Amino acid sequence: MQTQRHQNWMQLLQNKQKVLQQPEPIVAGRLVRMVGLTLEAIGCEAAVGTSCHIIAPGNHCIEAEVVGFAGDKTYLMAMGDSRGLVPNAKVIPVGHSSEIKISSAFLGRVIDGRGRPLDGKGPIAGDMAMPLAGTVINPLSRQPINQPLDVGVRAINAMLTVGRGQRMGLFAGTGVGKSILLGMMTRYTNADVIVVGLIGERGREVKEFVQDILGPEGLRRAVVVAAPADASPLVRMHGAWLATSVAEYFRDQGKNVLLLMDSLTRFAQAQREIGLSISEPPATKGYPPSVFARIPQLVERAGNGALGQGSITAFYTVLTEGDDPNDPIADAARGILDGHIVLSRQLADMGQYPAIDLESSVSRVMPNIIPADQYKSTQRIKQLYSLYEQNRDLINIGAYQKGSSIAIDEAIAMQPKIVQFLKQGMKESVNLKSSQQQLQQLAK
């Protein structure tokens, strides 16, 4: 009797496995409503993230993706232009859009947010399927950050030393030189592969960055993912995910990768557009809660890999709207990242490039990866710089009398040397060792 029950149980289990292995039938639906960016369909049974083809009149096919559902309604968003759609257009699920095939052939190429080439050099063959959402790494399996990374910028190498596998934010308003600083790091950073994600930026800047800032030499070891401002919110989000997936591919090959994403704010704004279009309630300054969940999901994918793998050192630009450091996206990113570099408009207006505000910037792993004497010198220079900034107004109007404070007198004497130390030309490279030596000489 027991043997018969066991056989029946095994038969049921085998039948269940056969059912699960069978492909689900494709259930086509029809379009019933379009409000803003959102398309509503009924009769379409598809999971979130599924790609669908919407057949418009004249057999014109428009690609869309499922972004939500409620009851019998499925919410979609078009990947491109949605003009030409009509009520009752057929909606056909065609598969999940969560993977892309990547290979070393991506090096030297410029692609869009969907992995299609933009440089006119023909198709790119991929050999490994990588999930756009990334693969979660156990935090205890990651290698520690214990090696400094040479980025070729003296102010960062000496005063805000970055470690391999660190995730840094580059906080800046518009027009203060963040693109130039990114270009300098792209050319001069000691990395095997560089992945650049231009997310939500002006289309004009894409060509300028590739040709003028990156250049042919920099492009040879780089992959550029461009999803400009006129792309749909989905494509902009996919662009950020794709750039990170490309970086993960090379990291898994044992490469040390530099990931530059410009910008994290545009990624958040794309998610805001999607969230609001499917009636997600706004929370902080119009940003729905899903935005603050997406940011750490993206950022946490960077960093060191497990033993035997490489690293992803990531720089994410964050646009501080109206130069407000308490912007909700800037505030959220500051708590997630391993440090932040703040660019000051006041310093940029004074002609100091890169316009790094030492008082507001910090590298959280710096004390663990630099010698004790460099850390001591860094603290001394920061104290003198901060002391001068605190008394700048008194000094400029002549209210401060020399001799009133020995510390302020020293700060005034050192200020021109510190400013000169922080300045660097766009086409000038200063390696890590030289930066440390110049810091030691300055702090004597």
Side-chain angles (χ1 to χ4, degrees):
M1 185 69 176
Q2 189 173 359
T3 303
Q4 184 63 35
R5 286 180 179 176
H6 179 72
Q7 291 176 348
N8 292 340
W9 170 256
M10 292 300 297
Q11 185 64 39
L12 288 172
L13 184 61
Q14 291 174 2
N15 292 338
K16 183 178 180 181
Q17 290 176 342
K18 288 180 180 178
V19 171
L20 291 175
Q21 291 173 358
Q22 290 179 355
E24 294 184 4
I26 295 177
V27 180
R30 59 187 180 88
L31 196 64
V32 295
R33 190 183 181 200
M34 178 179 178
V35 179
L37 300 174
T38 309
L39 310 174
E40 292 185 12
I42 60 173
C44 178
E45 297 180 6
V48 173
T50 299
S51 292
C52 296
H53 285 168
I54 303 177
I55 310 303
N59 288 328
H60 177 54
C61 179
I62 294 175
E63 189 172 350
E65 184 177 302
V66 177
V67 294
F69 57 85
D72 62 344
K73 294 181 180 178
T74 301
Y75 299 126
L76 304 100
M77 187 168 289
M79 286 287 200
D81 191 0
S82 58
R83 286 179 294 183
L85 289 178
V86 296
N88 296 316
K90 186 177 290 187
V91 180
I92 306 173
V94 293
H96 214 275
S97 59
S98 61
E99 288 187 345
I100 186 167
K101 287 190 175 182
I102 303 173
S103 70
S104 58
F106 275 62
L107 286 174
R109 301 299 301 269
V110 182
I111 58 178
D112 67 5
R114 300 165 68 183
R116 301 176 301 187
L118 292 173
D119 49 15
K121 297 180 181 178
I124 309 174
D127 57 13
M128 180 179 291
M130 297 289 295
L132 284 180
T135 304
V136 178
I137 298 179
N138 187 330
L140 298 180
S141 300
R142 288 184 183 269
Q143 301 177 68
I145 301 174
N146 51 23
Q147 294 181 2
L149 177 69
D150 184 2
V151 299
V153 180
R154 180 171 49 233
I156 299 177
N157 279 341
M159 306 297 295
L160 300 163
T161 310
V162 177
R164 286 195 183 276
Q166 188 173 354
R167 299 159 304 183
M168 292 284 286
L170 190 60
F171 291 67
T174 55
V176 294
K178 64 177 176 58
S179 296
I180 294 176
L181 182 56
L182 285 179
M184 292 172 66
M185 289 190 289
T186 302
R187 289 194 301 271
Y188 306 138
T189 297
N190 183 18
D192 300 320
V193 176
I194 296 169
V195 180
V196 181
L198 302 176
I199 310 301
E201 296 301 312
R202 292 181 288 270
R204 171 184 61 82
E205 293 183 337
V206 175
K207 188 172 183 178
E208 287 182 357
F209 189 91
V210 173
Q211 291 187 350
D212 302 334
I213 297 178
L214 191 59
E217 187 66 28
L219 187 59
R220 287 192 185 96
R221 58 170 180 155
V223 181
V224 179
V225 181
D230 60 346
S232 75
L234 273 175
V235 173
R236 278 178 268 149
M237 289 195 65
H238 281 205
W241 291 335
L242 175 56
T244 310
S245 294
V246 172
E248 288 173 327
Y249 169 83
F250 287 105
R251 178 192 62 191
D252 294 346
Q253 306 298 317
K255 306 289 187 181
N256 291 316
V257 183
L258 175 67
L259 172 63
L260 303 175
M261 189 167 295
D262 186 15
S263 70
L264 190 64
T265 304
R266 304 300 187 203
F267 170 80
Q269 290 173 348
Q271 175 59 32
R272 177 174 64 179
E273 292 177 42
I274 295 172
L276 294 178
S277 68
I278 58 175
S279 303
E280 186 180 356
T284 308
K285 289 191 176 180
Y287 287 98
S290 62
V291 171
F292 302 99
R294 291 287 192 188
I295 292 176
Q297 289 174 0
L298 178 70
V299 170
E300 283 293 329
R301 294 168 59 183
N304 285 332
L307 187 64
Q309 296 181 340
S311 64
I312 301 176
T313 306
F315 284 83
Y316 300 92
T317 65
V318 180
L319 300 176
T320 51
E321 296 182 2
D323 293 334
D324 179 13
N326 296 318
D327 177 81
I329 301 303
D331 197 42
R334 193 180 294 112
I336 297 167
L337 298 168
D338 301 323
H340 48 272
I341 299 171
V342 179
L343 300 186
S344 166
R345 185 174 300 278
Q346 181 182 1
L347 295 178
D349 292 341
M350 293 168 59
Q352 179 177 323
Y353 287 100
I356 297 176
D357 184 355
L358 284 183
E359 289 186 292
S360 303
S361 304
V362 64
S363 172
R364 292 195 176 105
V365 305
M366 181 177 175
N368 302 325
I369 59 175
I370 63 172
D373 57 343
Q374 181 188 343
Y375 186 71
K376 185 177 179 181
S377 298
T378 300
Q379 294 302 104
R380 170 173 160 74
I381 298 302
K382 279 188 173 182
Q383 288 170 0
L384 292 172
Y385 182 88
S386 180
L387 187 59
Y388 182 88
E389 292 298 322
Q390 291 170 11
N391 295 275
R392 176 185 287 273
D393 292 339
L394 292 176
I395 296 169
N396 288 340
I397 65 174
Y400 174 75
Q401 297 296 321
K402 185 177 181 180
S404 301
S405 169
I406 297 175
I408 297 178
D409 288 345
E410 185 181 11
I412 294 173
M414 289 290 293
Q415 181 66 10
K417 297 179 182 179
I418 295 174
V419 171
Q420 190 60 38
F421 175 79
L422 297 176
K423 284 184 177 181
Q424 185 173 331
M426 177 181 172
K427 297 183 179 180
E428 178 187 358
S429 173
V430 183
N431 62 37
L432 180 63
K433 185 176 180 180
S434 179
S435 300
Q436 293 172 339
Q437 291 173 348
Q438 292 178 38
L439 174 64
Q440 296 293 344
Q441 293 175 359
L442 180 65
K444 286 182 179 179

